[in-house]
Amino acid sequence: MTLPTQLVLGVLLEDPTLERYGLEICQVAELPSGTVHPILARLEQCGWLESRWEDADPHERGRPRRRYYRLDPDSIAVARAAIARARGSVSRLGLLRPHAAGGT
C-alpha cells in the first residue's frame, strides 16, 4: 500500500462515519487532487468506500457540486488492518538498512 493511500485512508479513519468531500481529503492529507482522486476511485472500486454527489445547485452555492466519500462500514476494520500491515512492513525494512561505516 502506497504512502498516499495510507494518508487518504488515515483521513477517512479519523471519523469513519463522517462524509468528506474530495478536496477536503486533499487538504487534510496534504496531497494534490491528481493523487487523491485516483486513490478514491480505486478504493471505491474495491468496495471500501461509498460516495454520493451532494444535492445542491451549483449556481446557488457558487461552486461545483461536491462528491462526498466515507468508508463502507464493513471495510473500516479491513482498512485499519491494511494500514497496520503497511506500517509494519516499513518498520521491518528499517531493520534491513546497512549500518553507516564504523557504526554499530
Side-chain angles (χ1 to χ4, degrees), residues 7-76:
L7 293 171
V8 168
L9 283 173
V11 170
L12 294 166
L13 283 166
E14 286 176 1
D15 183 349
T17 62
L18 181 68
E19 289 183 314
R20 293 183 180 259
Y21 61 95
L23 289 178
E24 177 186 16
I25 295 169
C26 294
Q27 291 168 347
V28 175
E30 298 182 359
L31 294 169
S33 174
T35 299
V36 171
H37 284 92
I39 291 169
L40 293 171
R42 281 193 303 275
L43 292 172
E44 188 172 16
Q45 247 180 355
C46 293
W48 286 25
L49 292 183
E50 299 171 346
S51 72
R52 70 171 181 87
W53 286 100
E54 74 178 337
D55 296 327
D57 181 355
H59 298 292
E60 288 178 14
R61 300 272 174 133
R63 60 166 170 75
R65 285 189 318 155
R66 292 177 176 165
R67 188 166 183 172
Y68 286 92
Y69 299 88
R70 75 178 180 104
L71 285 166
D72 178 83
D74 295 332
S75 299
I76 295 168

